[in-house]
Amino acid sequence: MEPECIFCKIYSGEIPSDILYSDSLCFVVRDIQPVAPSHLLVIPIRHVTFLDEVEDDEFDLVAQMFKTAVSIAAEEGISQSGYRLVVNQRDNSGQVVPHLHLHVLGGDRLGVIG
Ligand code: 5GP
Ligand code: ZN
């Protein structure tokens, strides 16, 4: 837990938010400024800033984030219509919150990237 981190504060309840799902490794909230009809964030409970800080023996955390994205997409009803998973890393990606998170975007046709 980082005292000044928005996502740590959400998990601790200091910032009130509707937590849609949680397990021992990660939790899910809706993005406060959605850029798609369904815009969810899968967030590890442990404060990890970047993927390159995840140790080799900790990658079950990343696996669990992807597994959670798959099940939350099903609950959201966007599995068949399709969705995009995004992880922004550092400045050139536009990462704003320095606590690792996986965006789940869907519910409409998304713009082409890349
Ligand atoms: P990044 O650009 O770091 O990948 O994405 C951070 C995301 O967190 C943004 O889409 C932003 O809208 C979202 N966000 C920032 N503050 C809050 C908050 O207090 N609550 C929630 N639910 N989302 C937030
Ligand atoms: Zn944090």
Side-chain angles (χ1 to χ4, degrees), residues 3 20 32 37 49 57 87 104 107:
L20 305 182
I32 206 168
T49 308
D57 62 356
V87 180
V104 182

Side-chain angles (χ1 to χ4, degrees), residues 6-7 10 15-17 29-35 39 41 43 86-89 93-99 101 103:
I6 290 170
F7 290 167
I10 287 176
I15 296 176
S17 293
V29 293
R30 284 190 195 282
D31 197 291
I32 206 168
Q33 285 186 296
V35 298
H39 188 169
L41 300 171
I43 306 170
V86 173
V87 180
N88 290 321
Q89 294 288 277
S93 72
Q95 182 179 5
V96 174
V97 178
H99 178 138
H101 51 281
H103 294 259

Side-chain angles (χ1 to χ4, degrees), residues 20-86:
L20 305 182
Y21 167 88
S22 70
D23 59 33
S24 61
L25 293 175
C26 62
F27 65 100
V28 177
V29 293
R30 284 190 195 282
D31 197 291
I32 206 168
Q33 285 186 296
V35 298
S38 290
H39 188 169
L40 303 154
L41 300 171
V42 182
I43 306 170
I45 293 169
R46 188 166 91 71
H47 182 91
V48 179
T49 308
F50 304 115
L51 276 171
D52 56 24
E53 289 174 357
V54 178
E55 304 289 342
D56 286 351
D57 62 356
E58 278 185 327
F59 265 85
D60 55 335
L61 171 65
V62 177
Q64 185 60 24
M65 288 170 69
F66 275 81
K67 236 179 121 179
T68 301
V70 170
S71 51
I72 207 81
E75 271 183 37
E76 195 74 358
I78 58 172
S79 293
Q80 294 309 311
S81 51
Y83 56 92
R84 178 178 294 155
L85 302 180
V86 173

